[in-house]
Amino acid sequence: MEKKNAYQKVVDQIAGIFLPIINVLTAAGLLKSVMMLLVTFHVMDEQNGVYRIFYAVSDGFFYFLPFFLAVTAAKQWNCDVFIAMTIPVAMLYPEITEILENGEGFSFVGLFVPPTVFHSGVIPVLLAVLLLRYVEKPCDKYLPDAIKGFMKPIICCLIVLPLTFLLFGRIGTWIGDMLTTAFFSIYDWNAIVAGAFMGMIIQPMVVVGAHWSLIPIVLANIAANGYDSILPLLGGAVYGQAGAALAVAVLYKGNKEKQRMAYQASFTAALGVTEPALFGVNVPLGRPMLAACLSGAIGGAICGAAGTHCLSFAFPSFLTCVAYIGPGFALFMLSMIICFPLGFLFTIVQKKSIQKRMDLRQSSAK
């Protein structure tokens, strides 16, 4: 058996965390897309009780994703599941989120907890559970059995939660801020290059949760100028993911379960929700993710050249394209149309390397 390198080991760990929830992730994405579709075509409005309930469960899954990840990561790294769940409990406690997600912070033993978006986050909760793994070990080893039951959770919380709020929660924001600063520097120089840059990096930003840092910038642009020029650059990347996932489905000839999952992920991405394609298909295999990013860069460059505007906040997809009607709209639609086959093609041409990775993952799963 071929020895795995460090990257492959990390990817297998991440895949092991996401695979247990991938079917629910896909279902939530599909349900969310259907609800958006019904509203877009005025079949129902957002005040409808049916819409409220089913959109709540679909969007709520993504909002409370840290809870699901805490459970699967705890099982993957042999942590106490219930102690692990105390981490997202604190992260998403209403009073905490109201302060941190409104751009404010608070003091903790003289240290400042900065504004952070924890909902739908991936990196903070995974880093926290990984730290928990190493905090639990000495607790299990040295704490007397008489007090271990209640002292172990207390000690774990005292160590893990402060670092989660002071450090781990900021990592995704730092990444997003740095990439956004780089984007605007490039945009001032050349909009086409800036479009390619943003189209290339946006899906990796989604993987680490850094894409949330774009939202206040986009909203500020719309409020100040009546339009935003960042969101249109992201549409091609969405359909590059869909095309790459479809190619993976074609390549998964000998594994019906994996093939079905890839088909579902491709369909969900085509409706504008890329997380199932990212975490269940393209990221674990590596090269399809690269193919999707390359096609996204081409789509972003097209929109950068067209100067496409978004008139209201809506992540790009065919379902939300009405928000992009205006300058450069035709090329915006073209960018999404061509990136799907590009993502497919860029993945297929790497067939041998991808199938080798598939075989490696299959053998390690046995």
Side-chain angles (χ1 to χ4, degrees), residues 4-23:
K4 297 181 182 180
N5 57 36
Y7 169 77
Q8 290 171 335
K9 290 178 180 179
V10 170
V11 168
D12 283 346
Q13 291 284 309
I14 299 299
I17 291 169
F18 279 95
L19 283 177
I21 62 171
I22 197 65
N23 287 330

Side-chain angles (χ1 to χ4, degrees), residues 212-295:
W212 295 110
S213 63
L214 295 176
I215 293 178
I217 299 171
V218 169
L219 293 175
N221 288 342
I222 294 173
N225 306 316
Y227 64 88
D228 170 69
S229 57
I230 297 177
L231 284 179
L233 308 176
L234 316 183
V238 172
Y239 289 92
Q241 289 293 336
L246 180 62
V248 171
V250 172
L251 295 177
Y252 262 132
K253 294 180 180 179
N255 191 322
K256 297 298 182 183
E257 182 180 352
K258 295 283 189 182
Q259 188 177 57
R260 174 180 52 80
M261 183 176 68
Y263 275 127
Q264 291 175 345
S266 176
F267 179 68
T268 307
L271 295 177
V273 181
T274 59
E275 282 86 352
L278 283 169
F279 299 121
V281 181
N282 295 340
V283 170
L285 291 174
R287 289 181 180 269
M289 180 65 176
L290 176 61
C293 291
L294 288 174
S295 59

Side-chain angles (χ1 to χ4, degrees), residues 1-141:
M1 182 186 300
E2 183 180 343
K3 188 176 180 180
K4 297 181 182 180
N5 57 36
Y7 169 77
Q8 290 171 335
K9 290 178 180 179
V10 170
V11 168
D12 283 346
Q13 291 284 309
I14 299 299
I17 291 169
F18 279 95
L19 283 177
I21 62 171
I22 197 65
N23 287 330
V24 182
L25 185 71
T26 303
L30 283 171
L31 186 57
K32 184 176 180 179
S33 298
V34 169
M35 291 297 105
M36 292 169 57
L37 187 64
L38 293 175
V39 170
T40 299
F41 289 98
H42 306 292
V43 176
M44 64 174 62
D45 59 48
E46 295 178 355
Q47 307 306 316
N48 186 289
V50 174
Y51 174 87
R52 288 180 184 273
I53 290 175
F54 286 103
Y55 190 82
V57 71
S58 58
D59 191 55
F61 176 86
F62 292 100
Y63 186 94
F64 292 108
L65 184 61
F67 278 100
F68 294 88
L69 296 181
V71 172
T72 57
K75 292 181 178 179
Q76 178 76 15
W77 292 326
N78 298 315
C79 300
D80 186 300
V81 172
F82 295 103
I83 297 177
M85 288 183 69
T86 63
I87 298 166
V89 163
M91 291 164 55
L92 298 177
Y93 187 69
E95 185 176 337
I96 295 289
T97 57
E98 182 179 359
I99 295 172
L100 297 183
E101 296 189 11
N102 284 336
E104 303 174 12
F106 57 86
S107 177
F108 174 81
V109 296
L111 300 173
F112 181 66
V113 177
T116 308
V117 175
F118 280 122
H119 75 263
S120 306
V122 173
I123 294 298
V125 69
L126 293 186
L127 291 176
V129 176
L130 183 60
L131 174 61
L132 176 64
R133 175 187 184 183
Y134 295 101
V135 176
E136 280 193 36
K137 287 182 178 180
C139 289
D140 289 330
K141 184 175 182 179

Side-chain angles (χ1 to χ4, degrees), residues 136-176:
E136 280 193 36
K137 287 182 178 180
C139 289
D140 289 330
K141 184 175 182 179
Y142 296 112
L143 285 176
D145 290 339
I147 63 172
K148 184 187 298 184
F150 64 87
M151 282 303 300
K152 177 181 169 181
I154 292 174
I155 293 172
C156 289
C157 287
L158 287 174
I159 295 174
V160 175
L161 287 179
L163 283 172
T164 300
F165 280 93
L166 293 169
L167 178 60
F168 299 155
R170 289 293 294 165
I171 290 177
T173 305
W174 285 335
I175 295 171

Side-chain angles (χ1 to χ4, degrees), residues 284-317:
L285 291 174
R287 289 181 180 269
M289 180 65 176
L290 176 61
C293 291
L294 288 174
S295 59
I298 294 172
I302 291 172
C303 288
T308 309
H309 292 166
C310 178
L311 303 180
S312 62
F313 183 85
F315 282 116
S317 73

